[in-house]
Amino acid sequence: SEPSADLAGCLSASIEYAVAELDVCAGGAPSSTVSVVRETEDTVDVLVLGDSPVVVHTTEKTHILVDDRLDRLELPEEATYRERLAQGTGFDDKHVALLTQLQERQTTHRNVPGGYWIAATDASAAERALWKSFDKNITRWAVICTDGAYDPLQFLALDDWSSLVGRTAGELQNLLCRCYIWEEDIDSGGRLYPRAKKHDDKTLVVITFD
């Protein structure tokens, strides 16, 4: 309704509204990545907060807007659980304990300078979102992904993003199912593709611009 509104300001207001509406408090609320693609008369505006990347294709190149600040922390528990999985330990009790420790350590870096930023109860996190505007005249399509879709598609070399344009919802779902089946049947213990859990949520949104 307000195409000229600042996207970070919109996100900040949304967080404030959710906190008030749901009556949640810091430490007792879930957190979420946020990815936004907005089409205006002249631009395609993209905002990313957290690890759900957006791929944008223009006549010049393909751009990937990804917030990797959490990965750049290189927390030791993450390196340890990946090493264990690569050794064939699987998602055992020790893995679960390491994951719990990792999440506790991540909390101390959440929404603080030098850490990473996510949508939770602090609306000011929206000001730290990554954003970019593209000339609509040369922008052809965009793909929004959860990291649970983006990462395995990359690992399995299925990330030919331009090939997703024009696919039906059913075809996109089948592509994500291929990732799920590979995780379930080929790499159920996370040895080939070390990851926090066997399956993560897999969502793709494909947008085309005339």
Side-chain angles (χ1 to χ4, degrees):
S1 63
E2 297 180 35
S4 63
D6 174 66
L7 280 184
C10 293
L11 176 56
S12 177
S14 297
I15 294 172
E16 288 182 347
Y17 175 83
V19 168
E21 183 74 8
L22 301 175
D23 192 26
V24 293
C25 59
S31 60
S32 177
T33 63
V34 177
S35 296
V36 179
V37 175
R38 175 178 63 184
E39 179 184 6
T40 73
E41 185 174 342
D42 301 313
T43 65
V44 174
D45 306 321
V46 179
L47 177 145
V48 172
L49 182 67
D51 54 358
S52 292
V54 177
V55 183
V56 179
H57 182 73
T58 69
T59 54
E60 299 172 343
K61 62 180 291 189
T62 298
H63 309 258
I64 301 179
L65 193 65
V66 57
D67 185 352
D68 62 353
R69 287 173 287 192
L70 178 56
D71 289 338
R72 293 205 306 262
L73 293 175
E74 297 182 346
L75 300 178
E77 291 85 356
E78 182 169 9
T80 300
Y81 88 65
R82 290 183 185 277
E83 289 169 2
R84 292 186 74 256
L85 288 172
Q87 293 167 1
T89 59
F91 301 101
D92 59 5
D93 291 342
K94 176 64 175 177
H95 176 84
V96 174
L98 279 169
L99 210 60
T100 300
Q101 294 171 21
L102 174 62
Q103 291 167 343
E104 291 173 351
R105 186 182 288 264
Q106 287 174 342
T107 300
T108 66
H109 295 275
R110 182 181 299 160
N111 292 347
V112 295
Y116 72 102
W117 303 86
I118 203 81
T121 56
D122 183 0
S124 68
E127 300 169 5
R128 305 300 185 110
L130 308 181
W131 64 273
K132 188 176 181 65
S133 288
F134 300 89
D135 183 345
K136 182 182 173 182
N137 291 323
I138 63 170
T139 304
R140 296 295 175 259
W141 51 260
V143 179
I144 308 176
C145 317
T146 57
D147 63 324
Y150 182 86
D151 292 342
L153 285 172
Q154 271 201 319
F155 183 82
L156 297 173
L158 298 173
D159 57 339
D160 179 4
W161 305 112
S162 61
S163 70
L164 304 186
V165 179
R167 292 198 188 190
T168 66
E171 290 170 335
L172 293 174
Q173 183 174 351
N174 288 338
L175 179 65
L176 296 181
C177 283
R178 286 181 62 184
C179 296
Y180 180 93
I181 291 170
W182 183 87
E183 292 169 343
E184 182 69 26
D185 295 344
I186 306 300
D187 194 35
S188 61
R191 185 178 63 82
L192 301 176
Y193 167 43
R195 54 199 185 271
K197 47 194 172 183
K198 184 187 294 188
H199 304 294
D200 202 356
D201 57 290
K202 296 172 174 39
T203 302
L204 284 175
V205 178
V206 180
I207 309 163
T208 57
F209 306 100
D210 293 332

